[in-house]
Amino acid sequence: MPMATERSAGLPRRRLLQAGLAAATAAGLPRLAVAAHGPSGRVFAAWDLSDGRHQIGCLRLPASDGAACQVIGLLDVPTRAHGLLPLPDGGVLVAARRPGEWLLRWHPAQPQAAQWHWIDGDRAFSGHVQPWGGHLYTTEADLETGDGLLVRRDARTLERLAEWPTGGVDNHALLPDGRGGLFVANGGVATRPETGRLKLDLAGMDSSIVRIDAASGAITHQWRLADRRLSLRHLAWRGDDLGIALQAQHDDADSQQQAPVLALLRGARGAPAAAMLVALSTPQPLGGYGGDICATPAGWFVSCPRVDAVAGWSAGGRWQGVQSHTQAYALVAAGNTPWVAGPGGWRALDGGAPALHPWQAAREPDNHAAWSGTVAS
């Protein structure tokens, strides 16, 4: 299956999308805007606009109370952007999600060098990309079978080099452990391309965390929670522990509201047989939906947009309460401080009643953001 070949099933849509982007550039529409400011304190994020456009951008988190977030650069993208990976040169890799047709390398100071890679028609990106060992790794789905795949890609060309099964369906986030392994979350929620986001056979959900050897593609260990209706999705490291944001899929409304949103794989970087996966209970309902996760020296944070809050736990997993933020979605650990984004803007989660830093224009952020550098005004 050559990577340069676009299957007929996806070809018309992709040609239209590519033509639309080219037309926007030719017509001088605001596809890209770059402000003349320094690179320090940058955050990459993805968002939607009220007119239905999808964008990625680079912004500066302000230091002064109540100041607006300053967008340094932005780019229109054809469909929803999801996971973002900052690069050492100041650029970013972005993976699409639903429908998951493209992978993008972009630098806010070098718009002409944007590099697009379109996936084969029988595959879909699952929205995440990570580096290890001089290669890139993406989570993807086989659209014919629904099976999850871990794909090794050339770091320069983005072409596929190898692929292996992840041992489940609905795979999502992945993180390297720094020791030759990649941890992958299999969400376990079956869907089909012809029915969109309709969730199928929830009673048969099989969500798991797997450790995959990056060299051979072999699954070296797999962990599951006792509650099979908890979908393991987003990941963050803190020391040797792996934090996982959960999204519950219970039929009963009360069970759904009370469901945990954070699990910890304790000792994940150690011997796999000794690592233990546990879901942390919460003393108040969080809607059963963890939108994003980040970790700092202080502990763990999970955004809970269904209750307009960010929940916190200590490093050891002790409940620390919630901080309010309307439609809390993307989280980013900027230095030692967690920040959260919602349609109203950004807020530092540093205790007390921190000021809201509004967007410069109306935006609805996606689940993720990525910090690159230090927070500076």
Side-chain angles (χ1 to χ4, degrees):
M1 182 176 57
M3 291 298 291
T5 302
E6 292 186 344
R7 305 285 178 164
S8 59
L11 187 56
R13 172 183 171 85
R14 292 172 190 178
R15 282 182 174 165
L16 287 171
L17 291 170
Q18 290 169 317
L21 287 176
T25 304
L29 297 178
R31 180 185 174 208
L32 176 70
V34 177
H37 295 284
S40 62
R42 297 183 306 168
V43 171
F44 290 103
W47 57 75
D48 293 340
L49 301 179
S50 58
D51 61 6
R53 283 186 295 155
H54 310 279
Q55 293 182 333
I56 62 168
C58 183
L59 57 97
R60 192 186 307 278
L61 297 177
S64 56
D65 286 348
C69 294
Q70 185 179 29
V71 175
I72 300 170
L74 59 85
L75 178 73
D76 278 345
V77 293
T79 53
R80 179 192 177 194
H82 194 61
L84 307 107
L85 174 67
L87 300 173
D89 66 356
V92 66
L93 277 168
V94 186
R97 167 80 171 153
R98 293 194 181 115
E101 296 173 323
W102 51 266
L103 187 64
L104 168 67
R105 190 198 314 270
W106 176 70
H107 197 297
Q110 302 169 14
Q112 72 282 357
Q115 179 185 4
W116 294 88
H117 181 86
W118 293 81
I119 201 167
D120 288 339
D122 59 355
R123 295 286 191 269
F125 288 112
S126 299
H128 289 271
V129 56
Q130 287 290 318
W132 177 250
H135 296 104
L136 297 173
Y137 291 83
T138 53
T139 46
E140 302 178 18
D142 183 323
L143 296 180
E144 293 297 322
T145 65
D147 293 338
L149 299 168
L150 175 67
V151 178
R152 179 192 292 158
R153 294 183 172 274
D154 186 281
R156 183 181 60 85
T157 67
L158 308 183
E159 297 285 346
R160 179 176 63 89
L161 301 175
E163 65 180 39
W164 307 279
T166 62
V169 301
D170 185 33
N171 63 5
H172 203 53
L174 74 161
L175 282 178
D177 64 6
R179 301 178 182 181
L182 290 160
F183 281 78
V184 178
N186 290 311
V189 180
T191 59
R192 295 293 301 161
E194 60 268 22
T195 55
R197 299 187 68 170
L198 179 65
K199 299 168 184 176
L200 307 173
D201 189 25
L202 289 178
M205 271 184 63
D206 183 17
S207 185
S208 66
I209 297 293
V210 293
R211 184 189 184 276
I212 298 177
D213 182 84
S216 67
I219 296 174
T220 62
H221 212 80
Q222 190 165 23
W223 298 266
R224 293 176 173 87
L225 290 169
D227 186 347
R228 294 301 182 92
R229 289 296 188 98
L230 296 176
S231 179
L232 299 136
R233 306 202 68 80
H234 297 134
L235 308 176
W237 282 112
R238 189 189 180 284
D240 288 343
D241 294 341
L242 183 67
I244 307 108
L246 306 173
Q247 295 178 6
Q249 305 293 334
H250 294 106
D251 296 324
D252 176 70
D254 185 62
S255 297
Q256 180 74 15
Q257 288 297 312
Q258 300 290 337
V261 297
L262 174 65
L264 297 180
L265 183 57
R266 301 186 188 275
R269 279 194 165 114
M276 181 177 297
L277 180 63
V278 293
L280 304 187
S281 60
T282 58
Q284 66 186 82
L286 297 174
Y289 185 94
D292 197 10
I293 182 172
C294 75
T296 72
W300 307 93
F301 299 86
V302 175
S303 60
C304 304
R306 294 181 179 175
V307 295
D308 295 328
V310 177
W313 292 260
S314 70
R318 179 176 297 180
W319 175 249
Q320 300 291 298
V322 300
Q323 297 188 55
S324 297
H325 191 81
T326 302
Q327 295 182 49
Y329 271 104
L331 290 172
V332 61
N336 292 335
T337 302
W339 288 69
V340 60
W346 289 75
R347 178 176 278 118
L349 302 171
D350 53 4
L356 178 71
H357 300 280
W359 296 98
Q360 292 174 314
R363 294 180 171 93
E364 290 196 18
D366 199 74
N367 290 63
H368 303 297
W371 177 61
S372 176
T374 59
V375 177
S377 59

